[in-house]
Amino acid sequence: RIKTAHCYDHGIGYNVYISSGNGTVKEDRLFRTTGIELTSDFHFIHILFPFDAGVRFNYLIDESRLKAEMILSIDIRTF
């Protein structure tokens, strides 16, 4: 089974330390991302617990850049 999901995160940081050419500065900052994740359920070499693996593609809105992450989880509730 292949699954897709859309995600959006919004956060506010107060007194965040940012490295710059002039040293380290402290400022308030927004952290916003949006993205999509593609995952699939499978049983790896017939292990009792199902695995959920895939990839998440994020767009960091405030930094105007893309980021990719691997996702891996094991569902032990079925035991």
Side-chain angles (χ1 to χ4, degrees), residues 42-49 51:
F42 61 95
H43 287 271
F44 183 66
I45 58 173
H46 298 291
I47 294 177
L48 180 62
F49 306 115
F51 286 79

PDB file of all heavy atoms in Angstrom, residues 42-49 51:
ATOM      1  N   PHE A  42       5.144  -2.333   4.590  1.00  0.00           N
ATOM      2  CA  PHE A  42       5.657  -3.623   4.126  1.00  0.00           C
ATOM      3  C   PHE A  42       6.186  -4.426   5.304  1.00  0.00           C
ATOM      4  O   PHE A  42       6.424  -3.892   6.388  1.00  0.00           O
ATOM      5  CB  PHE A  42       6.749  -3.446   3.066  1.00  0.00           C
ATOM      6  CG  PHE A  42       7.965  -2.701   3.541  1.00  0.00           C
ATOM      7  CD1 PHE A  42       9.066  -3.380   4.017  1.00  0.00           C
ATOM      8  CD2 PHE A  42       8.002  -1.319   3.495  1.00  0.00           C
ATOM      9  CE1 PHE A  42      10.177  -2.698   4.448  1.00  0.00           C
ATOM     10  CE2 PHE A  42       9.112  -0.635   3.923  1.00  0.00           C
ATOM     11  CZ  PHE A  42      10.212  -1.328   4.402  1.00  0.00           C
ATOM     12  N   HIS A  43       6.322  -5.720   5.117  1.00  0.00           N
ATOM     13  CA  HIS A  43       6.919  -6.621   6.103  1.00  0.00           C
ATOM     14  C   HIS A  43       8.298  -7.008   5.598  1.00  0.00           C
ATOM     15  O   HIS A  43       8.433  -7.728   4.618  1.00  0.00           O
ATOM     16  CB  HIS A  43       6.059  -7.872   6.301  1.00  0.00           C
ATOM     17  CG  HIS A  43       4.816  -7.603   7.067  1.00  0.00           C
ATOM     18  ND1 HIS A  43       4.770  -7.680   8.428  1.00  0.00           N
ATOM     19  CD2 HIS A  43       3.577  -7.235   6.668  1.00  0.00           C
ATOM     20  CE1 HIS A  43       3.551  -7.391   8.840  1.00  0.00           C
ATOM     21  NE2 HIS A  43       2.806  -7.113   7.784  1.00  0.00           N
ATOM     22  N   PHE A  44       9.336  -6.523   6.285  1.00  0.00           N
ATOM     23  CA  PHE A  44      10.717  -6.764   5.890  1.00  0.00           C
ATOM     24  C   PHE A  44      11.131  -8.178   6.303  1.00  0.00           C
ATOM     25  O   PHE A  44      11.059  -8.529   7.471  1.00  0.00           O
ATOM     26  CB  PHE A  44      11.614  -5.715   6.537  1.00  0.00           C
ATOM     27  CG  PHE A  44      13.049  -5.799   6.158  1.00  0.00           C
ATOM     28  CD1 PHE A  44      13.452  -5.544   4.865  1.00  0.00           C
ATOM     29  CD2 PHE A  44      13.998  -6.125   7.094  1.00  0.00           C
ATOM     30  CE1 PHE A  44      14.778  -5.611   4.507  1.00  0.00           C
ATOM     31  CE2 PHE A  44      15.328  -6.201   6.755  1.00  0.00           C
ATOM     32  CZ  PHE A  44      15.713  -5.949   5.462  1.00  0.00           C
ATOM     33  N   ILE A  45      11.526  -8.994   5.366  1.00  0.00           N
ATOM     34  CA  ILE A  45      11.929 -10.404   5.518  1.00  0.00           C
ATOM     35  C   ILE A  45      11.023 -11.159   6.509  1.00  0.00           C
ATOM     36  O   ILE A  45      11.475 -11.888   7.378  1.00  0.00           O
ATOM     37  CB  ILE A  45      13.430 -10.554   5.876  1.00  0.00           C
ATOM     38  CG1 ILE A  45      13.790  -9.824   7.163  1.00  0.00           C
ATOM     39  CG2 ILE A  45      14.312 -10.156   4.733  1.00  0.00           C
ATOM     40  CD1 ILE A  45      15.221 -10.073   7.659  1.00  0.00           C
ATOM     41  N   HIS A  46       9.740 -10.953   6.387  1.00  0.00           N
ATOM     42  CA  HIS A  46       8.695 -11.654   7.158  1.00  0.00           C
ATOM     43  C   HIS A  46       8.801 -11.438   8.668  1.00  0.00           C
ATOM     44  O   HIS A  46       8.471 -12.325   9.452  1.00  0.00           O
ATOM     45  CB  HIS A  46       8.703 -13.144   6.832  1.00  0.00           C
ATOM     46  CG  HIS A  46       8.413 -13.415   5.393  1.00  0.00           C
ATOM     47  ND1 HIS A  46       7.187 -13.198   4.835  1.00  0.00           N
ATOM     48  CD2 HIS A  46       9.220 -13.846   4.387  1.00  0.00           C
ATOM     49  CE1 HIS A  46       7.231 -13.504   3.554  1.00  0.00           C
ATOM     50  NE2 HIS A  46       8.455 -13.896   3.255  1.00  0.00           N
ATOM     51  N   ILE A  47       9.298 -10.279   9.077  1.00  0.00           N
ATOM     52  CA  ILE A  47       9.316  -9.934  10.500  1.00  0.00           C
ATOM     53  C   ILE A  47       7.880  -9.646  10.927  1.00  0.00           C
ATOM     54  O   ILE A  47       7.072  -9.123  10.162  1.00  0.00           O
ATOM     55  CB  ILE A  47      10.235  -8.721  10.752  1.00  0.00           C
ATOM     56  CG1 ILE A  47      11.677  -9.107  10.435  1.00  0.00           C
ATOM     57  CG2 ILE A  47      10.109  -8.199  12.172  1.00  0.00           C
ATOM     58  CD1 ILE A  47      12.674  -7.977  10.572  1.00  0.00           C
ATOM     59  N   LEU A  48       7.561  -9.980  12.169  1.00  0.00           N
ATOM     60  CA  LEU A  48       6.201  -9.850  12.690  1.00  0.00           C
ATOM     61  C   LEU A  48       5.667  -8.424  12.609  1.00  0.00           C
ATOM     62  O   LEU A  48       4.505  -8.206  12.318  1.00  0.00           O
ATOM     63  CB  LEU A  48       6.180 -10.339  14.146  1.00  0.00           C
ATOM     64  CG  LEU A  48       4.856 -10.278  14.885  1.00  0.00           C
ATOM     65  CD1 LEU A  48       3.826 -11.177  14.209  1.00  0.00           C
ATOM     66  CD2 LEU A  48       5.047 -10.691  16.329  1.00  0.00           C
ATOM     67  N   PHE A  49       6.530  -7.439  12.849  1.00  0.00           N
ATOM     68  CA  PHE A  49       6.083  -6.046  12.878  1.00  0.00           C
ATOM     69  C   PHE A  49       6.119  -5.421  11.481  1.00  0.00           C
ATOM     70  O   PHE A  49       7.109  -5.567  10.774  1.00  0.00           O
ATOM     71  CB  PHE A  49       6.988  -5.216  13.798  1.00  0.00           C
ATOM     72  CG  PHE A  49       7.117  -5.772  15.169  1.00  0.00           C
ATOM     73  CD1 PHE A  49       8.323  -6.239  15.638  1.00  0.00           C
ATOM     74  CD2 PHE A  49       6.016  -5.842  16.003  1.00  0.00           C
ATOM     75  CE1 PHE A  49       8.452  -6.749  16.900  1.00  0.00           C
ATOM     76  CE2 PHE A  49       6.124  -6.353  17.270  1.00  0.00           C
ATOM     77  CZ  PHE A  49       7.346  -6.814  17.731  1.00  0.00           C
ATOM     78  N   PHE A  51       6.641  -2.493   8.771  1.00  0.00           N
ATOM     79  CA  PHE A  51       7.452  -1.293   8.611  1.00  0.00           C
ATOM     80  C   PHE A  51       6.689  -0.295   7.753  1.00  0.00           C
ATOM     81  O   PHE A  51       5.900  -0.675   6.894  1.00  0.00           O
ATOM     82  CB  PHE A  51       8.776  -1.623   7.895  1.00  0.00           C
ATOM     83  CG  PHE A  51       9.768  -2.334   8.745  1.00  0.00           C
ATOM     84  CD1 PHE A  51       9.657  -3.690   8.990  1.00  0.00           C
ATOM     85  CD2 PHE A  51      10.825  -1.645   9.294  1.00  0.00           C
ATOM     86  CE1 PHE A  51      10.577  -4.353   9.758  1.00  0.00           C
ATOM     87  CE2 PHE A  51      11.763  -2.302  10.072  1.00  0.00           C
ATOM     88  CZ  PHE A  51      11.635  -3.663  10.305  1.00  0.00           C
TER      89      PHE A  51
END
